[in-house]
Amino acid sequence: MTGTPVRLDLSSPSRGPRGKPPRHFVDLTPSERAAAVQALGQPAFRARQLATHYFTHLTVDPEAMTDLPAAARDTLAADLFPPLLTPARTLTADRGTTVKTLWHLFDGARVESVLMRYPDRATLCVSSQAGCGLACAFCATGQLGLTRNLSTAEIVEQVRRAARSLADGEVAGGATRLSNVVFMGMGEPLANYRSVLATVRLLVAAPPEGLGLSARNVTVSTVGLVPAMDRLADEGIPVTLALSLHAPDDELRSELVPVNTRWSVDEAIDSARRYFDKTGRRVSIEYALIRDVNDHAWRADLLGEKLAARGQGWVHCNPIPLNPVPGSRWTASDPAVEAEFVARLRAHGIPTTVRDTRGSEIDGACGQLAAVEDEAAFAPASEEER
Ligand code: SAH
């Protein structure tokens, strides 16, 4: 197979005003939903019926909406549930329990989401932006630059479709429910604050107002945008916060995570601690272990000291072996070095668990999402399945 780009059918719906996605039910407030169904000649209470179809039954298929008058179903669905995401590719790994989907958005922008099924839970990793503007040196998405923010409906649709697919038994292991959502796909969620927060509210609201996930099972991962972290702490939704630190010293962190020149290591850690104080949720510190770059024993000690200096029981560490990005000179730490790094953090009293690298062979692991769609990039999955 060559690296020729695949031609894909983009049957996009009509565009919204000024490049915005078409109007979607999920983006409307309850009163806007009522007004929208009335504008289509239907009583306002149909808005609640539509919410039940969407959030409880996870469907936008008019055929399934048998409690609506047959004559109105198609119009309501077409008007309020325009297709926002077109699946362009899906790839599976880990015996079918990891599924990566490449989505085309209405304007041709591309994002990916990754569904990971475990014995005790099913987690969807969602994208909140097409591309990302923060340019972290080791992250595939960071090399793309920012295309645009996603709307709330574009993020919630990733979740609804994953939940539907699990409910339909499409993922190996039989039908199940979606239990966790992590904002660890493409983009910096706190740089798209409004849409992400509205998404979070819909994820945790009880059906039929939302998907009914537990807030603790929703993780917002950030590069450390301190004002937005502080704002999130005040929202009264105890989601899990993950801070992508990757270095305990400003000199190195500013190289790896350029936004560190704006909010330093200490400022980001202080904000994470305030998040714990306000929400009672233990914060996760993400740390991609990069061979000979940030994996030194002294850096483990410095990180352990900085976290422990702010108390015990408020934080845990998630080192992850770097998922090498094509073309990068960096690679994952040696397993013995990783083990030493973990041991030193634990010696400082910091609970530490190494994160798995699910989906790495389909470029579906953390930091690998780049929405590539040439044949070469998609070849490994078919090999794997053989
Ligand atoms: N912008 C958010 C979400 C990004 S992706 C954030 O920065 O937190 C989720 C996690 O994957 C982040 O911790 C990110 O730093 C990490 N990551 C990025 N590239 C990686 C790579 N190549 N290997 C391992 N982890 C990576």
Side-chain angles (χ1 to χ4, degrees):
M1 283 290 169
T2 65
T4 331
V6 177
R7 219 161 247 295
L8 291 140
D9 173 34
L10 251 189
S11 46
S12 357
S14 59
R15 281 165 195 244
R18 256 180 284 140
K20 281 210 177 109
R23 182 184 70 162
H24 192 282
F25 186 82
V26 164
D27 283 324
L28 304 180
T29 63
S31 60
E32 288 169 342
R33 291 174 187 171
V37 300
Q38 284 175 315
L40 295 170
Q42 292 295 314
F45 70 83
R46 301 247 180 265
R48 193 173 165 87
Q49 291 177 298
L50 291 173
T52 303
H53 286 299
Y54 189 89
F55 291 110
T56 308
H57 306 140
L58 308 168
T59 189
V60 295
D61 176 7
E63 307 257 298
M65 303 181 183
T66 51
D67 57 340
L68 300 179
R73 278 177 219 162
D74 287 345
T75 318
L76 284 168
D79 195 74
L80 290 164
F81 300 123
L84 298 180
L85 308 180
T86 308
R89 285 282 182 149
T90 56
L91 287 180
T92 59
D94 307 311
R95 299 172 188 277
T97 58
T98 301
V99 182
K100 179 172 86 160
T101 308
L102 168 67
W103 305 103
H104 281 192
L105 309 182
F106 81 98
D107 56 355
R110 283 133 207 225
V111 295
E112 295 177 337
S113 49
V114 184
L115 184 53
M116 292 156 286
R117 183 173 191 167
Y118 299 88
D120 61 332
R121 66 189 192 282
T123 300
L124 182 72
C125 178
V126 292
S127 292
S128 57
Q129 299 181 310
C132 182
L134 291 165
C136 296
F138 49 85
C139 173
T141 310
Q143 314 314 303
L144 300 175
L146 178 65
T147 301
R148 68 168 171 88
N149 282 335
L150 301 197
S151 66
T152 301
E154 286 172 322
I155 308 172
V156 174
E157 269 288 273
Q158 295 171 54
V159 182
R160 180 193 65 86
R161 294 183 71 147
R164 178 77 256 170
S165 156
L166 284 167
D168 287 343
E170 288 172 8
V171 178
T176 189
R177 294 170 72 91
L178 181 72
S179 57
N180 295 59
V181 171
V182 298
F183 286 83
M184 292 190 179
M186 301 174 76
E188 165 53 41
L190 295 186
N192 182 14
Y193 193 90
R194 254 167 59 121
S195 295
V196 165
L197 196 80
T199 300
V200 166
R201 290 195 187 284
L202 291 170
L203 296 184
V204 306
E209 266 78 46
L211 289 164
L213 295 181
S214 155
R216 65 179 55 234
N217 290 347
V218 174
T219 299
V220 173
S221 182
T222 180
V223 74
L225 307 184
V226 166
M229 289 165 71
D230 287 337
R231 192 172 158 197
L232 185 65
D234 287 329
E235 299 284 358
I237 317 170
V239 293
T240 300
L241 181 71
L243 169 63
S244 299
L245 204 61
H246 306 304
D249 54 304
D250 287 320
E251 195 184 345
L252 177 58
R253 189 166 191 265
S254 295
E255 242 178 75
L256 299 178
V257 180
V259 80
N260 189 70
T261 55
R262 187 95 171 266
W263 294 287
S264 67
V265 169
D266 285 326
E267 288 170 323
I269 300 178
D270 283 339
S271 174
R273 169 70 216 204
R274 289 193 293 276
Y275 189 87
F276 170 77
D277 290 336
K278 288 202 169 142
T279 63
R281 297 292 305 144
R282 204 160 73 152
V283 174
S284 303
I285 302 289
E286 308 296 304
Y287 200 107
L289 285 166
I290 313 175
R291 182 176 298 183
D292 298 333
V293 172
N294 65 353
D295 60 358
H296 314 91
W298 71 265
R299 285 200 158 94
D301 286 333
L302 182 58
L303 177 59
E305 279 158 24
K306 287 194 170 191
L307 298 177
R310 288 157 172 95
Q312 295 286 337
W314 70 278
V315 70
H316 66 117
C317 269
N318 275 153
I320 177 171
L322 180 82
N323 288 305
V325 165
S328 163
R329 60 194 184 281
W330 288 331
T331 182
S333 301
D334 189 86
V337 172
E338 173 186 300
E340 176 68 15
F341 199 92
V342 168
R344 285 185 183 242
L345 285 172
R346 289 187 181 146
H348 288 276
I350 309 297
T352 303
T353 22
V354 175
R355 230 175 43 200
D356 76 6
T357 55
R358 272 263 192 141
S360 51
E361 71 273 33
I362 53 169
D363 289 346
C366 294
Q368 291 184 309
L369 301 186
V372 211
E373 57 188 278
D374 58 54
E375 289 284 353
F378 280 93
S382 36
E383 306 260 310
E384 208 259 342
E385 280 160 7
R386 240 176 260 143

